[in-house]
Amino acid sequence: MKTQFRHHRGSGSFRDLIRLSQRIRRRIAVGNRSHSDRNIRRGSGSFRDDRRANIHSLDNRDKKSLPRLVALAALTLLTAALAGCAVEPWVKPYERANLADPIMSFEREPVSGGYLNHVYQARESGRGAEGGQGGGCGCN
Amino acid sequence: MNPLHAKSLFGLLLAALLAGGPLTASAGDAKPAPAFTLPNQQQAQVSLADFQGDVVMINFWASWCAPCREEMPLLNGLYKKYKALGFTLLGVNMDENSNDAYAMLKEIPVSFPVVFESHGRVGKLYGLVAMPSTVFVDRKGNIRFAHAGYAKGDEKEYEKYIKALVRE
Amino acid sequence: MAVAVTEVCSHGKQRSLPVGCGSEFLSRFFARVIAYAYSYRGRKPLPQLFCIALLVLIGLRVAHAAVLPEDRADALYHSYDGGGVEINGPSILVRKSIGKKTSVSGNYYVDSISSASIDVVTTASPYTEKREEKSASVDYLHEDTILSAGYTLSDENDFTARSVHFNFSQQTFGDLTTVNMGYSRGWDEVGTLNSSEFDETDRQQYRISVSQILSKNSVINFGWETVTDEGEKLNNPYRQVRYVNVDSENGRGYSYQLERYPQTRTSHAVSIQGKYFLAHRAALHGEFRYFRDTWGITAFNLEFGYTHPLDARWVFDVSYRFYRQQQADFYSDLYPFVDAQNYLARDKELSTFSDHSLGLGVAYEFTQGTWSWIKKGTLNLKYNYILFSYDNFRDLRAEGYAVGAEPLYSFNAHVVQIFASIWY
């Protein structure tokens, strides 16, 4: 895949994005009424133009701000999460037999894990990011 | 130019929100239920088409899935209650190793037909997003309702769908 | 809750570009992020990476599968014995869902402390005290999101800590990813027994963690947490530092003065954890964490563990953890003279040291049986042996050594946990 990076024409790129999102949203609304409009999304030239227009050349940014990068990464996740996105999972919900096993949980025994963290926190300076959540079967 | 200042970030966030939340198919949409044929515990082939003319509630489950276990006796109750009205429940087990499912059925026996899919193909066909998943097929063979997951009390929703469909 | 099952099923193998949530928008957004990340490092974006990001974004689909934590109750007795300190007490944790969308939990925790630690032995007198901690939290489930809020109150005779917690957890990307974000704010009130004055410490915590299912058999978790403390007394009000004094009263060539800490501390920690399911039903786990703070402390820990179930009833655990830290800038085991610098600390927890911890655990599971409202239960025994070795903290109990030439301190601790859990 080859993607071109070009300077953007103006500063209204985010407004464009919002407008685009609204357009997508309208299509979702249409899609809910009728299932026959899938092709609209495929061909539409305006989307391609938008794509080129919105990817900037990023080389001349100030390079001092690592925290900004971290914040950006966090924001990416937040944005994606808020958008309610879901990709086609490469591990399907019905393929989670092993992941659903309690032995695969990061926090099988919350009361015990919490206590041991407390012990380490009392005897060591290190604190935070002890981890714990996640895994599971994705069962409802 | 510095497009990553705070306002822009806010804009992005807003855009993401505007891009819309989850898409849910409205419950009334009719779609033909994809056909499948799978073996039951006696290794006899069972097709969805075998139940043509009945209201079919297809329940996808697995032995390792706790909510599936929980709803199994309730499903059995629904099956017994409505089967005289031209209703059937078809359990589709998604365990990779069907023996795990046989063991669970020994523990929690059910009277409705259960078929076994150890390769996940039917799951893909139905685009399952959660375990368990349940779809309701009308007498014409169209999917009319779908339900992902199980939480206490969901059986009431199931019953509502069944009642609506058997009346047609 | 109706889902998008019908959206997919009529198409069979031929999948069209799904509606999702604006994949175009997001693919461009991700493209920007990746391009930015690479330009930051002064390189051009890798086309492959770019493609992967786009591929991941193609095929956006909807799912609803966030789950509230299970209803369970745990009763734990804990015991810590090491370095002259004995701490034990109960911890009770109860969690119950209310309706389909809400889950509440409460925790009651007690530390009964009897301390004759090396600090106490050398500069004060042994003491006993009790710390009680109560906390309550509420989790609310909305589609793929869980919102949590909690309150914790901790009480000791000269110390009260209150804190509030907020957490946001979101499942996304086909439910393979769980993003967690949290914020906590705490207020500690510290006093000294002989004075009615209290000093307040204000603490804020920011957390992000991302849990990612990599395959049918593996899951990984990234964590980041920043903590800031602000207050007059970040140190223990009783602890002392020592400095060289040839005319000292104790005749050992050094005297004591009270510790003096900065009034702010900010720390950052990042961690990565992984779990891997082994074919014969067993699990491996690994963890690495890196830590640094504005006092100049850097630390890391590394942990490996193995979990082995036996006949569906027994689960055995073994783990090893190594921790290493470099001391705070202002720490010293022995200052050259009184008020040698602005900040003074001789807290061994701020010194350079390492510890090794070996953990063993066994759990026995019982099902239903006598009490029909119980789904299952477990009985557990856990033991940790921890060995602490200090590189720059000397054992002042040793006699007959020159000032600053005393042997380095080390001690071991035995940590025992006995607990029962039930699910209902």
Coordinates of all heavy atoms in Angstrom, one line a residue, chain B residues 73-120:
Chain B
P73 N -30.6 -24.6 32.0 CA -31.9 -25.2 32.5 C -33.1 -24.3 32.2 O -34.2 -24.8 31.9 CB -31.6 -25.1 34.0 CG -30.2 -25.0 34.2 CD -29.7 -24.3 33.0
L74 N -32.9 -23.0 32.1 CA -33.9 -22.1 31.7 C -34.4 -22.3 30.3 O -35.6 -22.2 30.0 CB -33.5 -20.6 31.9 CG -33.0 -20.3 33.4 CD1 -32.3 -19.0 33.4 CD2 -34.2 -20.2 34.3
L75 N -33.4 -22.5 29.4 CA -33.7 -22.8 28.0 C -34.6 -24.0 27.9 O -35.5 -24.1 27.2 CB -32.5 -22.9 27.2 CG -31.6 -21.7 27.1 CD1 -30.3 -21.9 26.2 CD2 -32.3 -20.5 26.6
N76 N -34.2 -25.0 28.7 CA -34.9 -26.3 28.7 C -36.3 -26.1 29.1 O -37.3 -26.7 28.5 CB -34.2 -27.3 29.6 CG -34.5 -28.7 29.2 OD1 -34.6 -29.0 28.1 ND2 -34.6 -29.6 30.2
G77 N -36.5 -25.2 30.1 CA -37.9 -24.9 30.5 C -38.7 -24.2 29.4 O -39.9 -24.6 29.2
L78 N -38.1 -23.3 28.7 CA -38.8 -22.6 27.6 C -39.2 -23.6 26.5 O -40.3 -23.5 25.9 CB -37.9 -21.5 27.0 CG -37.7 -20.2 27.8 CD1 -36.7 -19.3 27.1 CD2 -39.0 -19.5 27.9
Y79 N -38.2 -24.5 26.2 CA -38.5 -25.5 25.2 C -39.7 -26.4 25.5 O -40.6 -26.5 24.7 CB -37.2 -26.4 25.0 CG -37.4 -27.6 24.1 CD1 -37.7 -27.4 22.7 CD2 -37.4 -28.9 24.6 CE1 -37.8 -28.4 21.9 CE2 -37.6 -29.9 23.7 CZ -37.8 -29.7 22.4 OH -38.0 -30.8 21.5
K80 N -39.7 -26.8 26.8 CA -40.9 -27.7 27.2 C -42.2 -26.9 27.2 O -43.2 -27.5 26.8 CB -40.6 -28.2 28.7 CG -39.6 -29.3 28.7 CD -39.4 -29.8 30.1 CE -38.4 -30.9 30.2 NZ -37.8 -31.0 31.6
K81 N -42.1 -25.6 27.5 CA -43.3 -24.8 27.6 C -43.9 -24.6 26.3 O -45.2 -24.5 26.1 CB -43.0 -23.5 28.4 CG -44.2 -22.7 28.8 CD -43.7 -21.6 29.7 CE -44.8 -20.6 29.9 NZ -44.3 -19.4 30.6
Y82 N -43.1 -24.3 25.3 CA -43.6 -23.9 24.0 C -43.6 -24.9 22.8 O -44.0 -24.6 21.7 CB -42.9 -22.6 23.6 CG -43.3 -21.4 24.4 CD1 -42.5 -21.0 25.5 CD2 -44.5 -20.7 24.2 CE1 -42.9 -20.0 26.3 CE2 -44.9 -19.7 25.1 CZ -44.0 -19.3 26.1 OH -44.4 -18.3 26.9
K83 N -43.0 -26.0 23.1 CA -42.8 -26.9 21.9 C -44.1 -27.4 21.3 O -44.1 -27.6 20.1 CB -41.9 -28.1 22.3 CG -42.5 -29.1 23.2 CD -41.5 -30.3 23.3 CE -42.1 -31.3 24.4 NZ -41.1 -32.4 24.7
A84 N -45.1 -27.4 22.0 CA -46.4 -27.9 21.5 C -47.0 -26.8 20.5 O -47.9 -27.1 19.7 CB -47.4 -28.1 22.6
L85 N -46.5 -25.6 20.6 CA -47.0 -24.5 19.7 C -46.2 -24.4 18.4 O -46.2 -23.3 17.8 CB -47.0 -23.2 20.5 CG -47.8 -23.2 21.8 CD1 -47.6 -21.9 22.5 CD2 -49.3 -23.4 21.5
G86 N -45.5 -25.4 18.0 CA -44.7 -25.3 16.8 C -43.4 -24.5 17.0 O -43.0 -23.6 16.3
F87 N -42.8 -24.8 18.2 CA -41.5 -24.1 18.6 C -40.5 -25.1 18.8 O -40.7 -26.2 19.4 CB -41.8 -23.2 19.8 CG -40.5 -22.7 20.5 CD1 -39.9 -21.6 20.0 CD2 -40.0 -23.3 21.6 CE1 -38.7 -21.1 20.6 CE2 -38.9 -22.9 22.2 CZ -38.2 -21.8 21.7
T88 N -39.2 -24.8 18.4 CA -38.2 -25.7 18.9 C -36.9 -24.8 19.2 O -36.8 -23.7 18.8 CB -37.8 -26.7 17.8 OG1 -36.9 -27.7 18.4 CG2 -37.0 -26.0 16.6
L89 N -36.1 -25.4 20.1 CA -34.9 -24.8 20.5 C -33.8 -25.6 19.9 O -33.8 -26.9 20.1 CB -34.8 -24.7 22.0 CG -34.1 -23.5 22.6 CD1 -34.5 -23.2 24.0 CD2 -32.6 -23.8 22.6
L90 N -32.8 -25.0 19.3 CA -31.7 -25.8 18.7 C -30.4 -25.2 19.3 O -30.1 -24.1 19.1 CB -31.7 -25.6 17.2 CG -30.6 -26.3 16.4 CD1 -30.6 -27.8 16.7 CD2 -30.6 -26.0 14.9
G91 N -29.8 -26.1 20.1 CA -28.5 -25.7 20.7 C -27.4 -26.0 19.8 O -27.3 -27.1 19.2
V92 N -26.5 -25.0 19.6 CA -25.3 -25.2 18.8 C -24.1 -25.0 19.7 O -23.8 -23.9 20.1 CB -25.3 -24.2 17.6 CG1 -24.0 -24.5 16.7 CG2 -26.5 -24.3 16.7
N93 N -23.5 -26.1 19.9 CA -22.3 -26.1 20.8 C -21.1 -25.7 20.0 O -20.8 -26.2 19.0 CB -22.1 -27.5 21.5 CG -20.8 -27.5 22.3 OD1 -19.8 -27.9 21.8 ND2 -20.9 -26.9 23.5
M94 N -20.3 -24.8 20.6 CA -19.2 -24.2 19.9 C -17.8 -24.7 20.5 O -16.8 -24.2 20.1 CB -19.2 -22.7 19.9 CG -20.5 -22.1 19.4 SD -20.8 -22.4 17.6 CE -19.4 -21.5 16.9
D95 N -17.9 -25.7 21.4 CA -16.6 -26.2 22.0 C -15.7 -26.8 20.9 O -16.2 -27.5 20.0 CB -16.9 -27.3 23.0 CG -17.2 -26.7 24.4 OD1 -16.2 -26.5 25.1 OD2 -18.4 -26.5 24.7
E96 N -14.4 -26.5 21.0 CA -13.5 -27.1 20.0 C -13.4 -28.6 20.2 O -13.2 -29.4 19.3 CB -12.1 -26.5 20.2 CG -11.7 -25.5 19.1 CD -10.4 -24.8 19.4 OE1 -9.4 -25.5 19.4 OE2 -10.5 -23.6 19.6
N97 N -13.5 -29.0 21.5 CA -13.5 -30.4 21.8 C -14.9 -30.8 22.3 O -15.3 -30.4 23.4 CB -12.5 -30.7 22.9 CG -12.4 -32.1 23.3 OD1 -13.2 -32.9 22.8 ND2 -11.5 -32.5 24.2
S98 N -15.7 -31.4 21.4 CA -17.1 -31.7 21.8 C -17.2 -32.6 23.0 O -18.3 -32.5 23.7 CB -17.7 -32.4 20.6 OG -17.7 -31.6 19.4
N99 N -16.2 -33.3 23.4 CA -16.3 -34.1 24.6 C -16.5 -33.3 25.8 O -17.2 -33.7 26.8 CB -15.0 -34.9 24.8 CG -14.9 -36.0 23.8 OD1 -15.9 -36.6 23.4 ND2 -13.7 -36.3 23.3
D100 N -16.0 -32.0 25.9 CA -16.2 -31.1 27.0 C -17.7 -30.8 27.1 O -18.3 -30.7 28.2 CB -15.5 -29.8 26.8 CG -14.0 -30.0 26.8 OD1 -13.5 -31.1 27.4 OD2 -13.3 -29.1 26.4
A101 N -18.3 -30.7 25.9 CA -19.8 -30.4 25.9 C -20.6 -31.6 26.3 O -21.6 -31.5 27.0 CB -20.2 -30.0 24.5
Y102 N -20.2 -32.8 25.8 CA -20.9 -34.0 26.3 C -20.9 -34.1 27.8 O -21.9 -34.4 28.4 CB -20.3 -35.3 25.7 CG -20.2 -35.3 24.2 CD1 -19.3 -36.2 23.5 CD2 -21.1 -34.6 23.4 CE1 -19.2 -36.2 22.1 CE2 -21.0 -34.6 22.0 CZ -20.1 -35.4 21.4 OH -20.0 -35.5 20.0
A103 N -19.7 -33.8 28.4 CA -19.6 -33.9 29.8 C -20.6 -32.9 30.5 O -21.2 -33.3 31.5 CB -18.2 -33.7 30.2
M104 N -20.6 -31.7 29.9 CA -21.5 -30.8 30.6 C -23.0 -31.2 30.5 O -23.8 -31.0 31.4 CB -21.3 -29.4 30.0 CG -22.2 -28.3 30.6 SD -22.0 -26.7 29.9 CE -23.7 -26.2 29.9
L105 N -23.3 -31.7 29.3 CA -24.7 -32.1 29.1 C -25.1 -33.3 30.0 O -26.3 -33.5 30.4 CB -25.0 -32.5 27.6 CG -25.0 -31.3 26.7 CD1 -25.1 -31.8 25.2 CD2 -26.2 -30.4 27.0
K106 N -24.1 -34.1 30.4 CA -24.4 -35.1 31.4 C -24.7 -34.5 32.7 O -25.6 -35.0 33.5 CB -23.1 -35.9 31.6 CG -23.4 -37.4 31.6 CD -22.0 -38.1 31.6 CE -22.2 -39.6 31.4 NZ -20.9 -40.3 31.4
E107 N -24.1 -33.4 33.0 CA -24.3 -32.7 34.3 C -25.6 -31.9 34.3 O -26.3 -31.9 35.3 CB -23.1 -31.7 34.5 CG -22.7 -31.4 35.9 CD -21.5 -30.4 35.8 OE1 -20.5 -30.7 35.2 OE2 -21.6 -29.3 36.4
I108 N -25.8 -31.2 33.2 CA -27.0 -30.4 33.0 C -27.8 -31.0 31.8 O -27.6 -30.4 30.7 CB -26.7 -28.9 32.8 CG1 -25.7 -28.5 33.8 CG2 -28.0 -28.1 32.8 CD1 -25.1 -27.1 33.6
P109 N -28.6 -32.0 31.9 CA -29.2 -32.6 30.8 C -30.3 -31.7 30.2 O -31.0 -31.0 31.0 CB -29.8 -33.9 31.3 CG -29.7 -33.9 32.8 CD -28.9 -32.7 33.2
V110 N -30.5 -31.7 28.9 CA -31.5 -30.9 28.3 C -32.3 -31.8 27.3 O -31.7 -32.8 26.8 CB -31.0 -29.7 27.5 CG1 -30.3 -28.7 28.5 CG2 -30.0 -30.1 26.4
S111 N -33.6 -31.4 27.0 CA -34.3 -32.3 26.1 C -34.4 -31.7 24.7 O -34.9 -32.4 23.8 CB -35.8 -32.5 26.7 OG -36.3 -31.3 27.1
F112 N -34.0 -30.5 24.5 CA -34.0 -29.9 23.1 C -32.8 -30.5 22.3 O -31.8 -30.9 22.9 CB -34.1 -28.4 23.2 CG -33.0 -27.7 23.9 CD1 -31.7 -27.5 23.3 CD2 -33.2 -27.2 25.2 CE1 -30.7 -26.8 24.0 CE2 -32.2 -26.6 25.9 CZ -30.9 -26.4 25.3
P113 N -32.9 -30.4 21.0 CA -31.8 -30.9 20.2 C -30.6 -30.1 20.3 O -30.7 -28.8 20.3 CB -32.4 -30.9 18.7 CG -33.6 -30.0 18.8 CD -34.1 -30.1 20.2
V114 N -29.4 -30.7 20.3 CA -28.2 -30.0 20.4 C -27.3 -30.5 19.3 O -27.1 -31.7 19.1 CB -27.5 -30.2 21.8 CG1 -26.1 -29.4 21.8 CG2 -28.4 -29.6 22.9
V115 N -26.7 -29.6 18.5 CA -25.7 -30.0 17.5 C -24.3 -29.5 17.9 O -24.2 -28.5 18.7 CB -26.1 -29.6 16.1 CG1 -27.4 -30.4 15.7 CG2 -26.3 -28.1 16.0
F116 N -23.3 -30.0 17.3 CA -21.9 -29.7 17.7 C -21.1 -29.2 16.6 O -20.9 -29.8 15.5 CB -21.3 -31.0 18.3 CG -22.0 -31.4 19.5 CD1 -23.2 -32.3 19.4 CD2 -21.7 -31.0 20.8 CE1 -23.9 -32.6 20.5 CE2 -22.4 -31.4 21.9 CZ -23.5 -32.2 21.8
E117 N -20.5 -28.0 16.8 CA -19.7 -27.3 15.8 C -18.3 -27.1 16.4 O -18.1 -26.2 17.2 CB -20.4 -26.0 15.4 CG -19.5 -25.0 14.6 CD -19.0 -25.5 13.3 OE1 -18.1 -26.4 13.2 OE2 -19.6 -25.0 12.3
S118 N -17.4 -27.9 16.0 CA -16.1 -27.8 16.7 C -15.1 -26.9 15.9 O -14.0 -26.7 16.3 CB -15.5 -29.2 16.9 OG -15.5 -30.0 15.8
H119 N -15.5 -26.5 14.7 CA -14.6 -25.6 13.9 C -15.0 -24.2 13.8 O -14.3 -23.4 13.1 CB -14.5 -26.2 12.5 CG -14.1 -27.7 12.5 ND1 -12.8 -28.1 12.7 CD2 -14.8 -28.8 12.2 CE1 -12.8 -29.4 12.7 NE2 -14.0 -29.9 12.4
G120 N -16.1 -23.8 14.4 CA -16.5 -22.4 14.5 C -17.1 -21.9 13.2 O -17.4 -20.7 13.2

